[in-house]
Amino acid sequence: MKKYIVIIISMAICACSTLKQQPSNTKQQKYIKLEKFKGDTLKFIQTSILNRKEFYKGKELNVLLKDLAIPIKRYTTGQSFRPKNQSPDISLYFYNDTEKDLKIAKKKDPIIVTVVWQTPLNTSDVISLIRKYPNWTPEIQEYFGKQIVKDVGKVNFGFNK
């Protein structure tokens, strides 16, 4: 039994020292304005938002929205079944459904930014808002904009490889 404990402790020490030896990439990538990308919205999102996602973590969504500088056409929210009655995230769409479907038909990834909340929201509050404001409005931005970001990503359809 003691042999196994010693082996496990040795493995843990090796793992910790391996982690310490890996270089840390703490340099924050610089934000570049949308205009500099000459219409390449996907490259802008990747470079100025997703590659800088560490900057947005722990901050209100409003910080990301200010940098985003692209009008949001619509949104959807996630729903968790375990634990129940929680909305863990939001997806931001920059196209209407027709534009999104055309991009998919042309095998081009539509840009859909996903944001996971640090603290999941109450599903009944979110559903009540969605029923009242199905599209992105100042009221929706006011509510979601105050929520704290845990992670940022984008939906990958797999067309742009």
Side-chain angles (χ1 to χ4, degrees), residues 9-19:
I9 291 171
S10 297
M11 289 171 59
I13 291 169
C14 288
C16 289
S17 64
T18 303
L19 288 174

Side-chain angles (χ1 to χ4, degrees), residues 14-60:
C14 288
C16 289
S17 64
T18 303
L19 288 174
K20 287 178 185 175
Q21 292 171 2
Q22 294 175 352
S24 67
N25 187 5
T26 57
K27 186 178 178 189
Q28 181 66 47
Q29 184 165 340
K30 185 178 175 188
Y31 175 81
I32 302 169
K33 291 185 178 186
L34 176 62
E35 302 84 51
K36 300 282 185 184
F37 290 90
K38 299 180 178 152
D40 191 342
T41 309
L42 180 60
K43 191 170 183 180
F44 164 73
I45 294 289
Q46 186 62 54
T47 303
S48 289
I49 304 299
L50 298 177
N51 290 354
R52 299 177 67 245
K53 72 181 185 175
E54 293 300 320
F55 172 76
Y56 301 109
K57 290 180 179 181
K59 293 186 172 90
E60 289 186 352

Side-chain angles (χ1 to χ4, degrees), residues 10-135:
S10 297
M11 289 171 59
I13 291 169
C14 288
C16 289
S17 64
T18 303
L19 288 174
K20 287 178 185 175
Q21 292 171 2
Q22 294 175 352
S24 67
N25 187 5
T26 57
K27 186 178 178 189
Q28 181 66 47
Q29 184 165 340
K30 185 178 175 188
Y31 175 81
I32 302 169
K33 291 185 178 186
L34 176 62
E35 302 84 51
K36 300 282 185 184
F37 290 90
K38 299 180 178 152
D40 191 342
T41 309
L42 180 60
K43 191 170 183 180
F44 164 73
I45 294 289
Q46 186 62 54
T47 303
S48 289
I49 304 299
L50 298 177
N51 290 354
R52 299 177 67 245
K53 72 181 185 175
E54 293 300 320
F55 172 76
Y56 301 109
K57 290 180 179 181
K59 293 186 172 90
E60 289 186 352
L61 178 64
N62 279 327
V63 174
L64 185 146
L65 295 176
K66 182 178 175 242
D67 285 352
L68 197 54
I70 302 171
I72 298 167
K73 300 281 177 135
R74 61 184 211 82
Y75 68 100
T76 58
T77 59
Q79 183 174 354
S80 175
F81 296 101
R82 286 202 178 118
K84 265 180 128 175
N85 300 322
Q86 291 187 348
S87 180
D89 55 41
I90 189 169
S91 296
L92 307 174
Y93 295 76
F94 308 103
Y95 315 100
N96 62 36
D97 284 341
T98 305
E99 293 169 314
K100 178 187 69 121
D101 293 344
L102 282 172
K103 283 195 170 283
I104 292 171
K106 292 178 181 179
K107 300 211 181 294
K108 292 186 175 187
D109 284 357
I111 303 165
I112 303 169
V113 172
T114 59
V115 177
V116 177
W117 305 125
Q118 194 166 59
T119 303
L121 308 177
N122 183 300
T123 302
S124 59
D125 293 343
V126 171
I127 289 172
S128 137
L129 270 173
I130 291 170
R131 286 185 180 143
K132 193 171 183 180
Y133 306 105
N135 296 310

